Amino acid sequence: MAAKDVPLHEAAKPLQWLLGKWKGQGKGIYPTIKDFEYIEDLEFFHVGQPMLQFSFYSVHKDTNKILHREVGFLRIKPGTNQVAFISSHNNGVSEMAEGTVEGQSVGLESHTLGRMSFGKDPQTKKLKRTLTLEGDTLHQVLFMETSNVTMTEHLRATYKKVEY
């Protein structure tokens, strides 16, 4: 629930370019799986604190099968360009990543990944992602390292804003 009548926290202003609902398409690749295409909805909103709240929801492009759900917070350290990305994934992974915001680009690298005790192998060991706005197109690229594959590109998507 966005706080439309609450002003954006001053510290969160470097992230305001992300605010709104985005819809796009992407491609998933990885050495251990068959390539796939997906449709994804992103939403970034605020409640007046020095952070944005987000949700990422994806479905398979051809079958409409639910693929991935992710919810969390993108928090900025007031007075700096340092950001923390705190995320919970529907596959049982909790991610804590940190990085920076530079203009209209956020670069993040995980330093802590939690995993539910009954998650299936291979284990996710590290994630790196970038979110970059070029013109009116948002780009997201995600790299993943698992217990059996070194850091490799996994997802690449582009989005258009559908609601502010």
Side-chain angles (χ1 to χ4, degrees), residues 85-131:
F85 184 86
I86 305 115
S87 181
S88 182
H89 304 239
N90 67 328
N91 61 3
V93 171
S94 292
E95 174 187 359
M96 176 67 73
E98 293 185 3
T100 58
V101 57
E102 303 285 345
Q104 293 184 321
S105 184
V106 174
L108 299 157
E109 183 171 333
S110 66
H111 63 71
T112 305
L113 291 174
R115 183 173 187 259
M116 65 185 177
S117 63
F118 53 92
K120 65 180 185 173
D121 287 331
Q123 293 183 18
T124 303
K125 295 293 189 179
K126 186 174 258 297
L127 297 168
K128 291 182 183 179
R129 75 174 79 210
T130 58
L131 291 158

Side-chain angles (χ1 to χ4, degrees), residues 14-33:
L15 300 170
Q16 69 184 358
W17 54 274
L18 285 166
L19 289 171
K21 292 182 179 180
W22 302 80
K23 188 166 192 70
Q25 293 188 62
K27 183 171 184 177
I29 57 172
Y30 210 66
T32 58
I33 62 171

Side-chain angles (χ1 to χ4, degrees), residues 13-14 31 43 56 74 81 86 95 119-120 133 143 145 151:
K13 287 187 176 175
E43 183 176 11
F56 300 170
L74 181 58
N81 69 338
I86 305 115
E95 174 187 359
K120 65 180 185 173
L133 184 62
F143 288 79
E145 178 182 331
M151 187 64 71

